[in-house]
Short mmCIF file of all heavy atoms in Angstrom, two decimals:
data_model
loop_
_atom_site.label_atom_id
_atom_site.label_comp_id
_atom_site.label_asym_id
_atom_site.label_seq_id
_atom_site.Cartn_x
_atom_site.Cartn_y
_atom_site.Cartn_z
N SER J 1 102.47 86.57 79.48
CA SER J 1 101.01 86.66 79.43
C SER J 1 100.65 88.19 79.83
O SER J 1 101.45 88.84 80.29
CB SER J 1 100.36 85.61 80.30
OG SER J 1 100.40 86.08 81.75
N ALA J 2 99.36 88.54 79.43
CA ALA J 2 98.94 89.83 79.78
C ALA J 2 98.90 90.12 81.15
O ALA J 2 99.20 91.19 81.73
CB ALA J 2 97.48 90.02 79.24
N ILE J 3 98.57 89.09 82.07
CA ILE J 3 98.58 89.22 83.54
C ILE J 3 99.88 89.51 84.04
O ILE J 3 100.16 90.41 84.82
CB ILE J 3 97.88 88.22 84.20
CG1 ILE J 3 96.47 88.05 83.76
CG2 ILE J 3 98.04 88.24 85.69
CD1 ILE J 3 95.51 87.38 84.52
N SER J 4 101.07 88.80 83.63
CA SER J 4 102.31 89.02 84.06
C SER J 4 102.78 90.32 83.56
O SER J 4 103.65 91.05 84.41
CB SER J 4 103.26 87.82 83.59
OG SER J 4 103.39 87.87 82.19
N SER J 5 102.47 90.90 82.46
CA SER J 5 102.75 92.23 82.03
C SER J 5 102.20 93.23 82.98
O SER J 5 102.73 94.24 83.24
CB SER J 5 102.21 92.41 80.61
OG SER J 5 102.86 91.68 79.74
N LEU J 6 100.97 92.96 83.46
CA LEU J 6 100.31 93.97 84.38
C LEU J 6 101.06 93.99 85.69
O LEU J 6 101.28 95.00 86.30
CB LEU J 6 98.82 93.56 84.70
CG LEU J 6 97.86 93.82 83.60
CD1 LEU J 6 96.51 93.29 83.92
CD2 LEU J 6 97.74 95.15 83.28
N PHE J 7 101.46 92.77 86.21
CA PHE J 7 102.24 92.76 87.55
C PHE J 7 103.57 93.65 87.35
O PHE J 7 103.92 94.40 88.24
CB PHE J 7 102.65 91.34 87.86
CG PHE J 7 101.56 90.55 88.37
CD1 PHE J 7 101.23 89.36 87.85
CD2 PHE J 7 100.72 90.96 89.48
CE1 PHE J 7 100.26 88.59 88.46
CE2 PHE J 7 99.84 90.29 89.93
CZ PHE J 7 99.45 88.96 89.37
N LYS J 8 104.20 93.50 86.14
CA LYS J 8 105.44 94.37 85.92
C LYS J 8 105.06 95.80 85.83
O LYS J 8 105.76 96.68 86.30
CB LYS J 8 106.15 93.80 84.72
CG LYS J 8 106.80 92.43 84.91
CD LYS J 8 107.39 91.95 83.74
CE LYS J 8 108.00 90.49 83.87
NZ LYS J 8 108.43 89.88 82.59
N GLN J 9 104.05 96.05 84.95
CA GLN J 9 103.77 97.54 84.58
C GLN J 9 103.40 98.23 85.94
O GLN J 9 103.71 99.43 86.15
CB GLN J 9 102.48 97.52 83.66
CG GLN J 9 102.16 98.86 83.37
CD GLN J 9 100.79 98.88 82.31
OE1 GLN J 9 100.46 97.86 81.85
NE2 GLN J 9 100.36 99.99 82.10
N TYR J 10 102.56 97.60 86.84
CA TYR J 10 102.17 98.40 87.98
C TYR J 10 103.00 98.07 89.27
O TYR J 10 102.73 98.38 90.32
CB TYR J 10 100.74 97.96 88.25
CG TYR J 10 99.84 98.53 87.30
CD1 TYR J 10 99.20 97.82 86.26
CD2 TYR J 10 99.51 99.91 87.23
CE1 TYR J 10 98.34 98.35 85.23
CE2 TYR J 10 98.63 100.47 86.30
CZ TYR J 10 98.09 99.70 85.31
OH TYR J 10 97.24 100.19 84.37
N GLU J 11 104.13 97.34 88.90
CA GLU J 11 105.13 97.02 90.11
C GLU J 11 104.41 96.38 91.22
O GLU J 11 104.74 96.80 92.37
CB GLU J 11 105.90 98.33 90.41
CG GLU J 11 106.73 98.80 89.24
CD GLU J 11 107.43 100.16 89.58
OE1 GLU J 11 107.46 100.71 90.76
OE2 GLU J 11 107.96 100.65 88.70
N ILE J 12 103.67 95.48 90.89
CA ILE J 12 102.94 94.75 92.05
C ILE J 12 104.00 93.73 92.70
O ILE J 12 104.53 92.93 92.15
CB ILE J 12 101.67 94.01 91.53
CG1 ILE J 12 100.70 95.03 90.99
CG2 ILE J 12 101.15 93.02 92.62
CD1 ILE J 12 99.59 94.41 90.23
N ASP J 13 104.20 93.89 94.08
CA ASP J 13 105.04 93.05 94.70
C ASP J 13 104.42 92.26 95.84
O ASP J 13 105.08 91.70 96.61
CB ASP J 13 106.33 93.82 95.24
CG ASP J 13 105.87 94.85 96.35
OD1 ASP J 13 104.68 95.12 96.54
OD2 ASP J 13 106.74 95.64 96.80
N HIS J 14 103.12 92.40 95.98
CA HIS J 14 102.35 91.71 97.09
C HIS J 14 100.95 91.42 96.56
O HIS J 14 100.27 92.42 96.19
CB HIS J 14 102.44 92.50 98.46
CG HIS J 14 102.04 91.53 99.53
ND1 HIS J 14 102.77 91.79 100.69
CD2 HIS J 14 101.17 90.62 99.74
CE1 HIS J 14 102.27 90.95 101.61
NE2 HIS J 14 101.37 90.14 101.04
N VAL J 15 100.50 90.24 96.62
CA VAL J 15 99.08 89.80 96.17
C VAL J 15 98.48 89.30 97.46
O VAL J 15 99.04 88.46 98.20
CB VAL J 15 99.15 88.72 95.14
CG1 VAL J 15 97.86 88.11 94.80
CG2 VAL J 15 99.73 89.41 93.83
N ILE J 16 97.22 89.69 97.62
CA ILE J 16 96.35 89.11 98.68
C ILE J 16 95.28 88.27 98.21
O ILE J 16 94.51 88.76 97.35
CB ILE J 16 95.86 90.29 99.47
CG1 ILE J 16 96.95 91.21 100.13
CG2 ILE J 16 94.85 89.81 100.64
CD1 ILE J 16 96.55 92.36 100.86
N ASP J 17 95.18 87.04 98.64
CA ASP J 17 94.25 86.12 98.14
C ASP J 17 93.32 85.98 99.28
O ASP J 17 93.57 85.06 100.19
CB ASP J 17 94.92 84.84 97.63
CG ASP J 17 93.99 83.77 97.16
OD1 ASP J 17 92.87 84.03 97.04
OD2 ASP J 17 94.52 82.74 96.78
N VAL J 18 92.14 86.51 99.17
CA VAL J 18 91.19 86.37 100.23
C VAL J 18 90.29 85.31 99.90
O VAL J 18 89.62 85.23 98.85
CB VAL J 18 90.34 87.70 100.43
CG1 VAL J 18 89.30 87.64 101.49
CG2 VAL J 18 91.20 88.80 100.84
N GLY J 19 90.00 84.30 100.89
CA GLY J 19 89.19 83.11 100.54
C GLY J 19 89.91 82.23 99.52
O GLY J 19 89.52 81.84 98.57
N ALA J 20 91.19 81.88 99.89
CA ALA J 20 91.99 81.20 99.16
C ALA J 20 91.64 79.83 98.76
O ALA J 20 92.10 79.21 97.76
CB ALA J 20 93.48 81.09 99.82
N ASN J 21 90.68 79.22 99.45
CA ASN J 21 90.20 77.85 99.22
C ASN J 21 91.36 76.92 99.16
O ASN J 21 92.13 76.73 100.11
CB ASN J 21 89.27 77.95 97.97
CG ASN J 21 88.59 76.64 97.92
OD1 ASN J 21 88.91 75.72 97.07
ND2 ASN J 21 87.44 76.65 98.61
N LYS J 22 91.58 76.23 97.99
CA LYS J 22 92.66 75.32 97.99
C LYS J 22 93.89 75.85 97.22
O LYS J 22 94.68 75.11 96.70
CB LYS J 22 92.21 73.95 97.29
CG LYS J 22 91.16 73.35 98.11
CD LYS J 22 90.51 72.03 97.40
CE LYS J 22 89.54 71.50 98.25
NZ LYS J 22 88.84 70.39 97.60
N GLY J 23 93.87 77.20 97.03
CA GLY J 23 95.06 77.93 96.34
C GLY J 23 94.76 78.03 94.81
O GLY J 23 95.94 78.31 94.09
N GLN J 24 93.65 77.97 94.38
CA GLN J 24 93.49 77.99 92.81
C GLN J 24 93.95 79.46 92.25
O GLN J 24 94.76 79.39 91.26
CB GLN J 24 92.11 77.80 92.52
CG GLN J 24 91.41 76.53 92.72
CD GLN J 24 90.78 76.53 94.10
OE1 GLN J 24 91.16 77.17 95.12
NE2 GLN J 24 89.55 75.91 94.20
N PHE J 25 93.65 80.46 92.86
CA PHE J 25 94.12 81.75 92.50
C PHE J 25 95.63 81.91 92.61
O PHE J 25 96.35 82.38 91.67
CB PHE J 25 93.32 82.91 93.09
CG PHE J 25 93.86 84.23 92.63
CD1 PHE J 25 93.44 84.84 91.50
CD2 PHE J 25 94.65 84.99 93.53
CE1 PHE J 25 93.99 85.96 91.10
CE2 PHE J 25 94.90 86.34 93.18
CZ PHE J 25 94.75 86.72 91.81
N THR J 26 96.13 81.56 93.80
CA THR J 26 97.56 81.63 94.04
C THR J 26 98.38 80.74 92.93
O THR J 26 99.33 81.20 92.49
CB THR J 26 97.79 81.02 95.42
OG1 THR J 26 97.28 82.01 96.40
CG2 THR J 26 99.30 80.95 95.71
N HIS J 27 97.93 79.58 92.65
CA HIS J 27 98.42 78.82 91.69
C HIS J 27 98.46 79.44 90.22
O HIS J 27 99.46 79.51 89.59
CB HIS J 27 97.72 77.49 91.54
CG HIS J 27 98.30 76.48 90.49
ND1 HIS J 27 99.53 75.94 90.54
CD2 HIS J 27 97.76 76.11 89.30
CE1 HIS J 27 99.74 75.19 89.45
NE2 HIS J 27 98.63 75.31 88.76
N PHE J 28 97.23 79.99 89.92
CA PHE J 28 97.25 80.70 88.71
C PHE J 28 98.25 82.02 88.58
O PHE J 28 98.80 82.21 87.56
CB PHE J 28 95.84 81.29 88.59
CG PHE J 28 95.62 82.24 87.28
CD1 PHE J 28 95.58 81.79 86.02
CD2 PHE J 28 95.49 83.65 87.60
CE1 PHE J 28 95.53 82.69 85.00
CE2 PHE J 28 95.31 84.50 86.58
CZ PHE J 28 95.36 84.05 85.30
N VAL J 29 98.42 82.69 89.73
CA VAL J 29 99.22 83.84 89.73
C VAL J 29 100.70 83.25 89.63
O VAL J 29 101.46 83.91 88.78
CB VAL J 29 99.06 84.61 91.08
CG1 VAL J 29 100.16 85.54 91.33
CG2 VAL J 29 97.77 85.29 91.03
N ARG J 30 100.99 82.25 90.24
CA ARG J 30 102.44 81.66 89.92
C ARG J 30 102.59 81.16 88.61
O ARG J 30 103.76 81.32 88.03
CB ARG J 30 102.66 80.53 90.99
CG ARG J 30 102.74 81.01 92.50
CD ARG J 30 103.97 81.78 92.72
NE ARG J 30 103.96 82.09 94.14
CZ ARG J 30 104.18 83.19 94.63
NH1 ARG J 30 104.62 84.28 93.81
NH2 ARG J 30 104.50 83.39 95.98
N GLN J 31 101.60 80.62 87.97
CA GLN J 31 101.77 80.24 86.59
C GLN J 31 102.05 81.41 85.65
O GLN J 31 102.49 81.28 84.55
CB GLN J 31 100.58 79.50 86.18
CG GLN J 31 100.51 78.07 86.72
CD GLN J 31 99.28 77.29 86.05
OE1 GLN J 31 98.12 77.78 85.88
NE2 GLN J 31 99.58 75.96 85.78
N CYS J 32 101.60 82.52 86.01
CA CYS J 32 101.70 83.83 85.34
C CYS J 32 103.12 84.45 85.50
O CYS J 32 103.40 85.48 85.39
CB CYS J 32 100.63 84.74 85.54
SG CYS J 32 99.06 84.26 85.00
N ASN J 33 103.93 83.65 86.25
CA ASN J 33 105.40 84.05 86.53
C ASN J 33 105.45 85.18 87.57
O ASN J 33 106.46 85.83 87.56
CB ASN J 33 106.20 84.48 85.24
CG ASN J 33 106.33 83.26 84.33
OD1 ASN J 33 106.70 82.15 84.69
ND2 ASN J 33 106.11 83.50 83.00
N TYR J 34 104.33 85.42 88.44
CA TYR J 34 104.71 86.31 89.50
C TYR J 34 105.47 85.54 90.65
O TYR J 34 105.17 84.42 90.93
CB TYR J 34 103.15 86.63 90.10
CG TYR J 34 103.26 87.50 91.33
CD1 TYR J 34 103.69 88.84 91.27
CD2 TYR J 34 103.09 86.91 92.58
CE1 TYR J 34 103.63 89.47 92.34
CE2 TYR J 34 103.04 87.76 93.63
CZ TYR J 34 103.40 89.10 93.62
OH TYR J 34 103.55 89.80 94.73
N ARG J 35 106.47 86.13 91.03
CA ARG J 35 107.39 85.66 92.09
C ARG J 35 107.40 86.43 93.34
O ARG J 35 108.09 86.09 94.27
CB ARG J 35 108.73 85.46 91.48
CG ARG J 35 108.82 84.65 90.19
CD ARG J 35 108.64 83.21 90.68
NE ARG J 35 108.55 82.36 89.45
CZ ARG J 35 107.36 81.77 89.01
NH1 ARG J 35 106.33 81.81 89.63
NH2 ARG J 35 107.44 81.06 87.90
N GLY J 36 106.49 87.49 93.48
CA GLY J 36 106.53 88.30 94.76
C GLY J 36 105.75 87.51 95.80
O GLY J 36 105.33 86.32 95.79
N GLN J 37 105.61 88.23 96.91
CA GLN J 37 104.90 87.77 98.14
C GLN J 37 103.53 87.57 97.89
O GLN J 37 102.86 88.44 97.34
CB GLN J 37 105.16 88.73 99.30
CG GLN J 37 104.77 88.21 100.64
CD GLN J 37 105.19 86.99 101.18
OE1 GLN J 37 106.41 86.69 101.00
NE2 GLN J 37 104.47 86.10 101.76
N ILE J 38 102.94 86.59 98.50
CA ILE J 38 101.47 86.31 98.50
C ILE J 38 100.98 86.16 99.93
O ILE J 38 101.63 85.41 100.64
CB ILE J 38 100.96 85.19 97.69
CG1 ILE J 38 101.31 85.37 96.17
CG2 ILE J 38 99.46 84.86 97.83
CD1 ILE J 38 101.00 84.23 95.26
N THR J 39 99.87 86.80 100.32
CA THR J 39 99.23 86.52 101.62
C THR J 39 97.91 85.88 101.36
O THR J 39 97.04 86.56 100.64
CB THR J 39 99.16 87.84 102.47
OG1 THR J 39 100.53 88.26 102.63
CG2 THR J 39 98.46 87.50 103.83
N ALA J 40 97.69 84.71 101.84
CA ALA J 40 96.46 84.13 101.62
C ALA J 40 95.63 83.89 102.82
O ALA J 40 96.11 83.58 104.00
CB ALA J 40 96.65 82.68 100.94
N PHE J 41 94.33 84.31 102.83
CA PHE J 41 93.41 84.15 103.96
C PHE J 41 92.52 82.95 103.64
O PHE J 41 91.80 82.94 102.72
CB PHE J 41 92.54 85.39 104.09
CG PHE J 41 93.35 86.64 104.60
CD1 PHE J 41 93.98 87.38 103.78
CD2 PHE J 41 93.53 86.78 106.07
CE1 PHE J 41 94.86 88.45 104.35
CE2 PHE J 41 94.24 87.99 106.44
CZ PHE J 41 94.82 88.67 105.57
N GLU J 42 92.56 81.95 104.46
CA GLU J 42 91.64 80.88 104.32
C GLU J 42 91.44 80.21 105.66
O GLU J 42 92.26 79.81 106.35
CB GLU J 42 92.45 79.75 103.35
CG GLU J 42 91.64 78.43 103.27
CD GLU J 42 90.25 78.49 102.87
OE1 GLU J 42 89.89 79.27 101.81
OE2 GLU J 42 89.28 77.89 103.51
N PRO J 43 90.10 80.12 106.05
CA PRO J 43 89.69 79.69 107.37
C PRO J 43 89.75 78.12 107.50
O PRO J 43 89.78 77.66 108.58
CB PRO J 43 88.24 80.20 107.55
CG PRO J 43 87.71 80.29 106.19
CD PRO J 43 88.89 80.68 105.35
N ILE J 44 89.87 77.36 106.41
CA ILE J 44 89.76 75.95 106.56
C ILE J 44 91.28 75.55 106.66
O ILE J 44 92.11 75.50 105.76
CB ILE J 44 89.19 75.30 105.36
CG1 ILE J 44 87.74 75.64 105.32
CG2 ILE J 44 89.22 73.64 105.47
CD1 ILE J 44 87.02 75.20 104.05
N ILE J 45 91.61 75.09 107.84
CA ILE J 45 92.98 74.74 108.16
C ILE J 45 93.59 73.60 107.32
O ILE J 45 94.72 73.59 106.96
CB ILE J 45 93.19 74.32 109.77
CG1 ILE J 45 92.84 75.55 110.60
CG2 ILE J 45 94.61 73.73 110.08
CD1 ILE J 45 92.74 75.28 112.06
N GLY J 46 92.63 72.70 106.97
CA GLY J 46 93.13 71.56 106.08
C GLY J 46 93.61 71.93 104.76
O GLY J 46 94.28 71.15 103.97
N HIS J 47 93.37 73.25 104.30
CA HIS J 47 93.81 73.71 103.03
C HIS J 47 95.14 74.29 103.11
O HIS J 47 95.72 74.62 102.06
CB HIS J 47 92.83 74.75 102.50
CG HIS J 47 91.59 74.02 102.01
ND1 HIS J 47 90.39 74.75 101.66
CD2 HIS J 47 91.05 72.80 101.98
CE1 HIS J 47 89.38 73.91 101.37
NE2 HIS J 47 89.73 72.75 101.49
N LYS J 48 95.58 74.66 104.13
CA LYS J 48 96.88 75.29 104.56
C LYS J 48 98.11 74.76 103.73
O LYS J 48 98.78 75.38 102.96
CB LYS J 48 97.19 75.49 105.91
CG LYS J 48 98.35 76.39 106.09
CD LYS J 48 98.68 76.54 107.70
CE LYS J 48 99.85 77.55 107.79
NZ LYS J 48 100.26 77.66 109.21
#
Side-chain angles (χ1 to χ4, degrees):
S1 76
I3 296 200
S4 62
S5 295
L6 289 174
F7 285 130
K8 290 176 186 172
Q9 179 181 351
Y10 292 102
E11 299 178 2
I12 294 171
D13 62 357
H14 198 141
V15 170
I16 299 174
D17 186 356
V18 177
N21 192 262
K22 296 177 183 172
Q24 299 94 318
F25 177 72
T26 295
H27 177 68
F28 170 74
V29 167
R30 291 294 187 221
Q31 284 184 320
C32 293
N33 295 317
Y34 175 74
R35 299 291 174 246
Q37 182 65 35
I38 297 176
T39 300
F41 291 87
E42 174 51 49
I44 299 174
I45 294 170
H47 292 172
K48 182 178 181 186

